[in-house]
Amino acid sequence: MRSERCCSLARHLMILCMDPLQTAAVQWFERTLDDSANRRICLPEAFLTADILLSTLQNVCEGLVVYPKVIERHIRQELPFMASENIIMAMVKAGANRQECHEQIRVLSHQAGAVVKQEGGDND
């Protein structure tokens, strides 16, 4: 839940940057009243948002527990799918047609996925 809050705050912070940019685009820094009002709102809100975002991220990270063996197991399960692009590139370097290689890898990965999902087999 805190991570979701961080995501939401980060998105809000990114959007806060757009308001002064839009004002600058239409006013060329003429220092009108709506320009200064915009700055009085956006700058403090951006700093406060960044502050709570960093505080929440620190809270999340300090409570983080990492299990290296679980991560290793998940990587080993997904490694064949992650390596498919490298396999295609090696095949192309050896002179094969990229589109044909891609299709072969796609068919094989769907077959392997079916074994994992339907039969509960290992992802090899």
Side-chain angles (χ1 to χ4, degrees), residues 39-59:
R39 289 181 187 196
R40 283 196 306 270
I41 294 170
C42 288
L43 289 174
E45 189 172 344
F47 278 102
L48 289 170
T49 302
D51 181 56
I52 192 62
L53 172 61
L54 293 172
S55 296
T56 307
L57 278 173
Q58 180 180 9
N59 183 272

Side-chain angles (χ1 to χ4, degrees), residues 35-84:
D35 178 45
S36 62
N38 186 311
R39 289 181 187 196
R40 283 196 306 270
I41 294 170
C42 288
L43 289 174
E45 189 172 344
F47 278 102
L48 289 170
T49 302
D51 181 56
I52 192 62
L53 172 61
L54 293 172
S55 296
T56 307
L57 278 173
Q58 180 180 9
N59 183 272
V60 168
C61 292
E62 286 175 350
L64 189 66
V65 178
V66 177
Y67 298 104
K69 294 294 183 184
V70 174
I71 294 170
E72 183 180 338
R73 186 184 70 212
H74 286 294
I75 288 174
R76 288 190 190 283
Q77 288 174 344
E78 297 301 321
L79 194 57
F81 293 118
M82 292 189 289
S84 63

Side-chain angles (χ1 to χ4, degrees), residues 2-114:
R2 289 174 291 168
S3 296
E4 291 172 351
R5 186 179 313 137
C6 288
C7 181
S8 177
L9 289 169
R11 290 176 58 197
H12 177 67
L13 185 58
M14 288 187 292
I15 295 302
L16 280 174
C17 299
M18 296 302 295
D19 198 14
L21 291 175
Q22 287 181 337
T23 301
V26 297
Q27 292 186 355
W28 300 290
F29 291 110
E30 293 177 1
R31 301 197 47 93
T32 60
L33 183 58
D34 58 342
D35 178 45
S36 62
N38 186 311
R39 289 181 187 196
R40 283 196 306 270
I41 294 170
C42 288
L43 289 174
E45 189 172 344
F47 278 102
L48 289 170
T49 302
D51 181 56
I52 192 62
L53 172 61
L54 293 172
S55 296
T56 307
L57 278 173
Q58 180 180 9
N59 183 272
V60 168
C61 292
E62 286 175 350
L64 189 66
V65 178
V66 177
Y67 298 104
K69 294 294 183 184
V70 174
I71 294 170
E72 183 180 338
R73 186 184 70 212
H74 286 294
I75 288 174
R76 288 190 190 283
Q77 288 174 344
E78 297 301 321
L79 194 57
F81 293 118
M82 292 189 289
S84 63
E85 184 65 25
N86 293 339
I87 294 168
I88 291 173
M89 295 306 291
M91 292 169 73
V92 170
K93 282 183 183 177
N97 180 308
R98 180 167 174 49
Q99 201 61 32
E100 291 173 5
C101 294
H102 184 272
E103 181 60 21
Q104 290 173 357
I105 294 292
R106 187 188 69 78
V107 168
L108 291 171
S109 67
H110 279 272
Q111 290 173 353

